[in-house]
């Protein structure tokens, strides 16, 4: 028989939190940071609640009872269980894990600055001494794929999933063993991800391999860990692959050749694995509801950062934000005057903000579950629409002003509007026929046209700059100007995970 558990972690007033970074770092770096969450606003997926934060904490998940020796994916489990609601008995001791996943040829140091930015954000908002019964936020830079990014998405995702499961079990066992008098036999935790580039695809696949429950009977008898999906974020991830999404368009035969040179992972990204175009893992990850879309839909928030205006050589805008020039899928834009309102990101108006646009899509289960087109010429459109139907916040970043090196004006550029001015005028025209920004709808087709191109030419290394890539000293120096982008992401991520606003909307569980 099947038993359903739904958990909403209800917070009361301020919540004390501990953030601890684990892994191969010096012990003096593993320090707690304390502060208290203020009452802050959150940007929800729903258009009518557009403000500056990227979501509010509303922890919900459904779990199926399983035997200790039973293994199955989150997708299969969620397809079989019933709806229900419950509050865990240890709700005041929830641990929130944030896993930072590096990309192609990267290592765990790639995400080191983001890790420190999350710690800084927590220190900024929490100030009270830690209560051992309060919530914890634990950040982990994943390491199992260090030096192993060429053998395909499946292999990398499997290593990632195993690392995450082992990390959660080890951390939970340590926490429970510290309280020998505890009678807790069901520990609830949440997982969130920030996947950079290929790391975003690893994470998307890995969540289909992570069960909703982990048993630790071999460590603590009759105890299980219940896993809830919280925030899923990607930065410059090629969600649609790189086939037909190269920085400079090349013939299909050339794409296949490049894919072969880049080993199994290259074949996955260029969607050219196997003996025919029918072997297409990227397409499956964008269209298979049971295995891939359902687990991703369980996250409370999905966020995709994309570089705009031709600044990303590896992952151009359309694949990072899964845009299609043929898609009419609606997006709702956020009022640009709200960018950075709460954290001083915007200095002298919208034109000085590194955020060009923030748009949201609503979840649409009908699109998610419908059968995709069998014709390959429609694959890109189908992938784009199904990804949009999950419900995302997309953040378009302009790093042209912070990329090292000179930028040259294109011929006649002085007589033309800048790309940002064109976008601003487009929004103002839409606003003239709408009451508020919440009433405006922008299509994927519009964004594909307006977020690409540039009136200037420069070195397209936005892929590294946006995340302040610090995998080695040379990269750290080259990408230092991208730190404010990660500061913004970290600040919003922390609020999305631990935001207290909206707690009164949790239904009565009595």
């Amino acid at each position: 028989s099947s038993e359903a558990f739904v958990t909403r972690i209800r917070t009361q007033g301020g919540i004390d939190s501990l953030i601890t970074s684990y892994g191969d770092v010096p012990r003096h770096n593993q320090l707690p940071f304390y502060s208290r969450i203020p009452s802050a606003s959150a940007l929800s997926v729903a258009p009518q609640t557009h403000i500056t934060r990227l979501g509010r904490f509303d922890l919900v998940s459904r779990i199926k009872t399983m035997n200790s020796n039973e293994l199955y994916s989150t997708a299969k489990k969620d397809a079989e269980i019933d709806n229900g609601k419950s509050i865990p008995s240890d709700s005041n001791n929830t641990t929130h894990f944030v896993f930072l996943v590096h990309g192609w040829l990267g290592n765990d140091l790639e995400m080191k600055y983001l890790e420190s930015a999350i710690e800084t954000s927590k220190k900024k908002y929490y100030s009270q001494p830690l209560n051992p019964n309060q919530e914890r936020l634990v950040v982990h830079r994943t390491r199992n794929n260090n030096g192993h990014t060429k053998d395909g998405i499946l292999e990398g995702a499997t290593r990632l999933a195993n690392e995450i499961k082992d990390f959660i079990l080890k951390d939970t066992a340590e926490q429970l063993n510290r309280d020998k008098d505890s009678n807790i036999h069901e520990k609830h935790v949440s997982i969130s991800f920030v996947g950079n580039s290929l790391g975003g695809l690893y994470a998307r696949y890995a969540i289909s391999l992570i069960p909703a429950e982990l048993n630790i009977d071999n460590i603590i008898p009759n105890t299980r860990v219940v896993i809830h999906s919280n925030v899923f974020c990607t930065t410059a991830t090629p969600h649609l692959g790189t086939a037909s999404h190269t920085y400079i368009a090349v013939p299909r035969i050339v794409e296949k050749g490049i894919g072969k040179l880049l080993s199994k992972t290259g074949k996955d990204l260029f969607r050219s694995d196997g003996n025919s175009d029918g072997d297409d893992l990227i397409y499956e990850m964008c269209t298979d509801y049971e295995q891939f879309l359902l687990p991703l839909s369980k996250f409370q928030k999905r966020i995709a950062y994309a570089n705009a205006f031709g600044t990303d050589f590896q992952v151009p805008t359309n694949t990072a934000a899964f845009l299609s020039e043929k898609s009419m899928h609606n997006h709702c834009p956020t009022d640009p005057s709200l960018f950075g309102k709460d954290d001083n990101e915007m200095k002298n108006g919208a034109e000085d903000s590194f955020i060009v646009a923030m748009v949201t899509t609503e979840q649409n289960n009908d699109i998610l579950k419908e059968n995709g087109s069998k014709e390959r010429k429609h694959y890109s459109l189908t992938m784009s629409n199904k990804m949009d139907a999950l419900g995302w916040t997309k953040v378009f970043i302009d790093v042209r002003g912070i990329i090292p090196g000179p930028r040259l004006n294109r011929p006649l550029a002085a007589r033309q509007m800048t790309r940002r001015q064109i976008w601003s005028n487009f929004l103002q025209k839409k606003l003239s026929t709408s009451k508020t920004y919440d009433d405006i709808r922008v299509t994927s087709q519009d964004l594909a046209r307006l977020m690409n191109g540039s009136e200037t030419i420069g070195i397209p290394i936005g892929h590294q700059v946006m995340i302040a890539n610090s995998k080695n000293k040379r990269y750290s120096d080259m990408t230092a100007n991208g730190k404010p982008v990660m500061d913004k992401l970290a600040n919003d991520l922390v609020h999305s995970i631990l935001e207290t606003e909206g707690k009164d909307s949790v239904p009565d569980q009595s």
Side-chain angles (χ1 to χ4, degrees):
S1 62
S2 175
E3 180 181 3
F5 296 91
V6 171
T7 305
R8 287 181 183 257
I9 306 302
R10 301 182 63 181
T11 57
Q12 300 296 326
I15 303 175
D16 298 315
S17 176
L18 168 66
I19 179 167
T20 309
S21 298
Y22 284 80
D24 299 327
V25 295
R27 294 297 301 175
H28 65 268
N29 286 338
Q30 298 184 19
L31 299 176
F33 293 87
Y34 310 115
S35 64
R36 181 174 295 278
I37 285 184
S39 178
S41 299
L43 172 61
S44 170
V45 174
Q48 63 269 25
T49 57
H50 275 195
I51 37 188
T52 59
R53 298 297 178 196
L54 293 184
R56 72 186 186 192
F57 174 61
D58 187 16
L59 189 57
V60 182
S61 185
R62 298 182 298 170
I63 306 117
K64 177 189 174 186
T65 310
M66 61 183 273
N67 297 325
S68 60
N69 61 350
E70 184 180 359
L71 293 177
Y72 53 85
S73 71
T74 301
K76 185 180 295 182
K77 171 195 68 61
D78 281 327
E80 296 172 353
I81 65 176
D82 303 320
N83 288 317
K85 292 183 175 68
S86 68
I87 290 182
S89 58
D90 60 330
S91 61
N92 287 331
N93 196 24
T94 300
T95 297
H96 304 283
F97 294 101
V98 180
F99 296 100
L100 309 182
V101 190
H102 67 77
W104 168 261
L105 299 181
N107 56 43
D108 59 286
L109 294 177
E110 181 174 293
M111 312 288 282
K112 188 175 181 179
Y113 182 76
L114 176 58
E115 177 190 46
S116 68
I118 294 173
E119 294 176 349
T120 300
S121 181
K122 293 303 298 177
K123 185 178 180 180
K124 177 180 178 181
Y125 290 109
Y126 286 72
S127 59
Q128 298 301 314
L130 178 70
N131 182 328
N133 291 323
Q134 296 297 329
E135 299 187 1
R136 302 166 62 240
L137 195 154
V138 178
V139 182
H140 176 63
R141 289 180 280 118
T142 59
R143 295 166 169 80
N144 278 8
N145 283 321
N146 285 7
H148 303 286
T149 60
K150 295 182 179 181
D151 56 355
I153 294 172
L154 170 59
E155 293 298 326
T158 302
R159 285 190 293 268
L160 176 62
N162 289 336
E163 179 176 0
I164 289 170
K165 288 184 287 186
D166 291 345
F167 187 86
I168 292 174
L169 287 175
K170 179 181 178 182
D171 179 86
T172 303
E174 289 176 352
Q175 290 298 309
L176 294 178
N177 281 328
R178 287 172 187 167
D179 186 2
K180 297 296 183 181
D181 298 325
S182 173
N183 292 320
I184 294 175
H185 295 288
E186 182 177 278
K187 175 67 176 176
H188 288 253
V189 304
S190 83
I191 57 174
S192 297
F193 291 87
V194 181
N196 179 52
S197 192
L198 176 63
L201 295 177
Y202 282 156
R204 279 178 53 197
Y205 200 119
I207 61 176
S208 73
L209 304 175
I210 300 173
E213 292 182 12
L214 298 174
N215 278 286
I216 53 176
D217 284 344
N218 59 329
I219 304 174
I220 303 175
N222 302 316
T223 302
R224 65 177 183 174
V225 181
V226 181
I227 300 175
H228 304 269
S229 302
N230 205 335
V231 179
F232 191 95
C233 179
T234 63
T235 55
T237 288
H239 288 285
L240 304 182
T242 50
S244 302
H245 292 291
T246 51
Y247 190 77
I248 300 173
V250 297
R252 179 62 177 157
I253 190 171
V254 175
E255 289 185 342
K256 289 185 176 182
I258 296 173
K260 289 181 179 180
L261 291 175
L262 299 179
S263 304
K264 180 66 170 67
T265 300
K267 293 178 182 178
D268 285 344
L269 292 174
F270 280 95
R271 300 165 56 198
S272 59
D273 199 11
N275 297 320
S276 70
D277 285 344
D279 298 306
D280 192 339
L281 179 58
I282 295 290
Y283 179 79
E284 292 300 317
M285 289 177 64
C286 290
T287 59
D288 188 321
Y289 177 74
E290 294 295 336
Q291 184 173 0
F292 297 113
L293 298 181
L294 181 59
L296 191 51
S297 74
K298 298 303 176 185
F299 282 80
Q300 301 305 301
K301 184 74 180 177
R302 286 158 297 279
I303 307 166
Y305 271 61
N307 281 306
F309 306 139
T311 56
D312 196 323
F313 183 84
Q314 288 96 324
V315 184
T317 308
N318 287 5
T319 187
F322 33 97
L323 303 175
S324 171
E325 295 175 352
K326 299 178 181 179
S327 174
M328 301 302 293
H329 199 103
N330 281 327
H331 297 62
C332 184
T334 302
D335 183 349
S337 68
L338 297 176
F339 296 166
K341 183 176 180 181
D342 291 342
D343 52 7
N344 299 317
E345 182 273 313
M346 198 166 71
K347 304 300 185 295
N348 299 307
E351 282 293 312
D352 290 329
S353 171
F354 52 73
I355 299 177
V356 181
M358 288 173 60
V359 298
T360 58
T361 65
E362 295 183 351
Q363 192 167 109
N364 187 321
N365 287 322
D366 291 336
I367 295 177
L368 289 176
K369 295 178 181 179
E370 70 183 10
N371 294 326
S373 172
K374 300 296 184 182
E375 297 184 53
R376 187 172 183 84
K377 64 180 181 179
H378 298 307
Y379 274 15
S380 181
L381 175 60
T382 300
M383 291 191 295
S384 173
N385 285 339
K386 283 186 173 286
M387 287 294 290
D388 276 337
L390 285 163
W392 290 80
T393 295
K394 301 182 185 182
V395 185
F396 294 90
I397 302 296
D398 182 4
V399 295
R400 290 177 296 177
I402 59 177
I403 288 179
R407 292 198 69 84
L408 304 176
N409 288 326
R410 291 183 183 274
L412 304 179
R415 297 185 230 170
Q416 299 173 345
M417 289 188 294
T418 67
R419 299 303 293 176
R420 297 192 71 142
Q421 289 171 338
I422 293 172
W423 166 247
S424 178
N425 289 350
F426 175 84
L427 283 184
Q428 290 302 314
K429 185 176 180 180
K430 288 276 188 179
L431 189 60
S432 67
T433 58
S434 305
K435 293 182 179 179
T436 66
Y437 275 92
D438 291 344
D439 299 320
I440 297 176
R441 295 296 179 268
V442 180
T443 67
S444 180
Q445 183 183 80
D446 292 330
L447 290 167
R449 173 172 53 88
L450 294 166
M451 292 296 122
N452 283 288
S454 177
E455 68 280 1
T456 59
I457 303 173
I459 305 172
I461 57 173
H463 194 74
Q464 292 79 22
V465 171
M466 181 171 69
I467 65 156
N469 190 316
S470 52
K471 70 178 185 178
N472 56 45
K473 188 178 186 305
R474 181 174 64 87
Y475 268 72
S476 296
D477 294 340
M478 179 180 68
T479 65
N481 290 339
K483 291 179 178 180
V485 182
M486 290 298 96
D487 292 339
K488 173 67 173 175
L489 188 157
N491 193 53
D492 290 332
L493 180 67
V494 165
H495 278 267
S496 295
I497 293 173
L498 292 172
E499 184 59 66
T500 60
E501 184 165 282
K503 64 185 179 181
D504 294 335
S505 63
V506 179
D508 184 8
Q509 306 296 319
S510 60

